[in-house]
Amino acid sequence: MSRTGVRIVRSSIRASRPVGVAILASAGVAVGIVLALLLVALIAYKAALGVPLAMQMIDIALAIVVPFTIVWFFWGVWEVLQSAWWSHVIGGPLAVAGLGAAFVWRGLVIGLLVRGVPVALHQWIETGFVWSVWIILILEITTVVYLLTAWKAFGIGASKPLWERRHR
């Protein structure tokens, strides 16, 4: 039997993405990008005021880790990946707890963010932080609740093809 004798038929038709998944994924990616831009603007403003970058390590870490993690997780939702479903269902409650802690200890977090910024802008940064936490919190809770109802779209609970099963 030659190699050309065996053909694998692949379907070019992909299952459609549920509308709720598309809306939540788009919102999550947009929130991540806007958050990254806001944090980069804060870092640039502090640098323009003469605050050394070494004093902004927490800001820089936040600007890199938080927005790109949000974009990464929600991009997986857009691609309807099983790993994205699991990461939101398991990591979502952890993220909600972390956001709740950030809201409870917002004075400490805001104190770190406003270092080197004129006092007149402290209220703006505090308001931006509180709104960001609330928006991300609502988005994550909504995503987890929706994904728990849309598990079939992600292939959760579906039988796996024979080549993906573990044989003992």
Side-chain angles (χ1 to χ4, degrees):
M1 182 184 221
S2 70
R3 285 190 203 178
T4 57
V6 177
R7 294 192 182 202
I8 298 174
V9 178
R10 295 184 185 205
S11 174
S12 62
I13 300 172
R14 189 172 179 186
S16 64
R17 177 181 299 111
V19 175
V21 169
I23 292 169
L24 288 171
S26 300
V29 170
V31 164
I33 291 171
V34 168
L35 186 62
L37 292 174
L38 288 173
L39 287 169
V40 167
L42 178 64
I43 292 167
Y45 181 71
K46 284 182 170 183
L49 290 175
V51 178
L53 288 178
M55 295 276 302
Q56 299 187 52
M57 290 309 293
I58 293 174
D59 302 342
I60 294 169
L62 281 173
I64 293 171
V65 173
V66 174
F68 291 113
T69 302
I70 292 170
V71 169
W72 181 33
F73 276 35
F74 280 98
W75 195 270
V77 172
W78 176 263
E79 293 291 330
V80 193
L81 300 175
Q82 279 186 356
S83 60
W85 189 89
W86 284 108
S87 66
H88 276 283
V89 169
I90 294 172
L94 297 174
V96 168
L99 289 166
F103 187 75
V104 169
W105 294 310
R106 66 185 174 274
L108 174 68
V109 176
I110 292 167
L112 293 171
L113 290 174
V114 298
R115 285 184 302 167
V117 176
V119 177
L121 295 178
H122 287 199
Q123 186 63 38
W124 286 93
I125 293 173
E126 181 178 358
T127 303
F129 176 77
V130 170
W131 274 101
S132 298
V133 168
W134 275 111
I135 289 170
I136 297 169
L137 185 69
I138 291 168
L139 179 65
E140 189 59 38
I141 290 171
T142 306
T143 302
V144 170
V145 169
Y146 180 78
L147 290 181
L148 288 173
T149 64
W151 54 274
K152 282 188 179 180
F154 289 84
I156 305 298
S159 62
K160 293 184 177 182
L162 185 60
W163 58 85
E164 290 184 11
R165 294 182 190 162
R166 288 187 177 180
H167 298 286
R168 296 179 189 192

